[in-house]
Amino acid sequence: FLMLMYSLLGLTKDMIQGKKPIPDEMKGRELHVPFPLSSFMGKDKHPKLDQKWLQKLRIWTIQFVFLRPLLSTVDILFVDHVIPLHNEHVTSIIKLIVTISLNISVTTAFCALITFYHAFEHELAPHRPLAKFICIKGVLFFTTWQGVILKLLGHFGVLHEGYRFSLDEIELAWQDLLVCIEMAFIFSPLCVYAFSNADEKVKEIELKEQKVAEKEETKKTK
């Protein structure tokens, strides 16, 4: 998602890696780093965007891409007992470490995305990146927390097993029903808005105008 915003703003790979300078109109933008990351920044709560901060935001985001598979592998091997440790206390400690590390990683990446988006909100508005982000992550968010709520409802007796179905099957059925309703009435219309074909039409018009301008320039030079 961060690389998508970079590309929409015309930032190339060389600019991000520091091989080429970033455009002057982007330098000096005030960055508002959200809580809790701002708590570790000392007195400089609102730094200015430069090559260093561009690279820092990229690292804060990309760390999740590498850390998530690693933590998932540890979780599968030791918590799911693929490699038995024969010690529930050690397993619980590993699960706690994985959970805390994953939450720190997600929070850091999310804060980096919000920081960069807030700095260029006006320029990015025509491309609707926030709506695209909500479309993708909103589905995961809703399904995850719905599952937790349904488990709690089953635990406290609000949901109970029926004549033909177990409690787990009833919870799963409610989850599937809610996902169908959300996809039909919330996320499908949002996807139509966020990933509209109007963007492609605008690009085609811009390319045509650019070609016409180039032809006129070549005629003038001749």
Side-chain angles (χ1 to χ4, degrees):
F1 185 70
L2 184 67
M3 298 307 294
L4 170 64
M5 290 194 289
Y6 281 172
S7 64
L8 292 175
L9 291 171
L11 291 170
T12 63
K13 185 179 179 181
D14 290 336
M15 291 178 185
I16 299 167
Q17 294 178 346
K19 297 178 182 178
K20 289 184 178 180
I22 60 175
D24 293 334
E25 59 269 18
M26 292 186 180
K27 291 179 181 178
R29 291 288 182 98
E30 188 175 356
L31 300 177
H32 298 269
V33 182
F35 179 84
L37 226 59
S38 58
S39 304
F40 303 96
M41 294 181 58
K43 296 181 180 179
D44 192 13
K45 299 293 184 181
H46 302 292
K48 304 294 183 181
L49 182 69
D50 55 13
Q51 203 83 46
K52 179 183 175 182
W53 266 99
L54 195 68
Q55 184 69 8
K56 187 180 290 188
L57 292 174
R58 175 175 174 269
I59 293 171
W60 284 357
T61 306
I62 207 73
Q63 52 81 25
F64 176 75
V65 178
F66 297 101
L67 198 58
R68 174 69 206 210
L70 178 62
L71 292 173
S72 297
T73 302
V74 173
D75 187 63
I76 291 170
L77 290 177
F78 298 107
V79 178
D80 293 341
H81 304 293
V82 175
I83 300 176
L85 297 175
H86 305 292
N87 191 325
E88 288 298 325
H89 183 63
V90 175
T91 303
S92 300
I93 292 174
I94 292 174
K95 185 176 182 179
L96 180 63
I97 292 172
V98 168
T99 303
I100 293 173
S101 301
L102 183 58
N103 278 277
I104 291 173
S105 177
V106 171
T107 303
T108 303
F110 186 73
C111 286
L113 291 174
I114 292 297
T115 300
F116 187 81
Y117 173 75
H118 187 269
F120 296 95
E121 185 176 359
H122 180 71
E123 290 86 348
L124 291 168
H127 304 284
R128 301 180 292 278
L130 187 60
K132 291 179 172 65
F133 182 79
I134 293 173
C135 280
I136 298 168
K137 296 299 181 182
V139 176
L140 300 175
F141 177 83
F142 271 81
T143 53
T144 300
W145 286 104
Q146 277 172 187
V148 173
I149 293 170
L150 289 170
K151 285 290 183 184
L152 290 173
L153 291 177
H155 177 76
F156 290 108
V158 179
L159 297 177
H160 48 82
E161 63 183 14
Y163 177 70
R164 294 184 178 181
F165 302 101
S166 66
L167 180 59
D168 289 338
E169 289 172 332
I170 290 174
E171 290 172 356
L172 182 61
W174 273 106
Q175 175 79 305
D176 293 342
L177 176 63
L178 290 171
V179 168
C180 290
I181 293 171
E182 290 158 4
M183 289 303 298
F185 297 104
I186 299 176
F187 290 106
S188 293
L190 186 58
C191 284
V192 172
Y193 166 74
F195 299 94
S196 174
N197 61 351
D199 295 340
E200 297 301 322
K201 292 179 180 179
V202 170
K203 288 181 182 178
E204 289 178 3
I205 293 171
E206 289 177 350
L207 286 172
K208 287 180 181 178
E209 291 177 351
Q210 186 178 354
K211 288 180 180 179
V212 170
E214 288 176 354
K215 286 181 180 179
E216 290 179 355
E217 286 182 3
T218 53
K219 286 180 182 179
K220 289 178 180 179
T221 53
K222 289 180 180 179

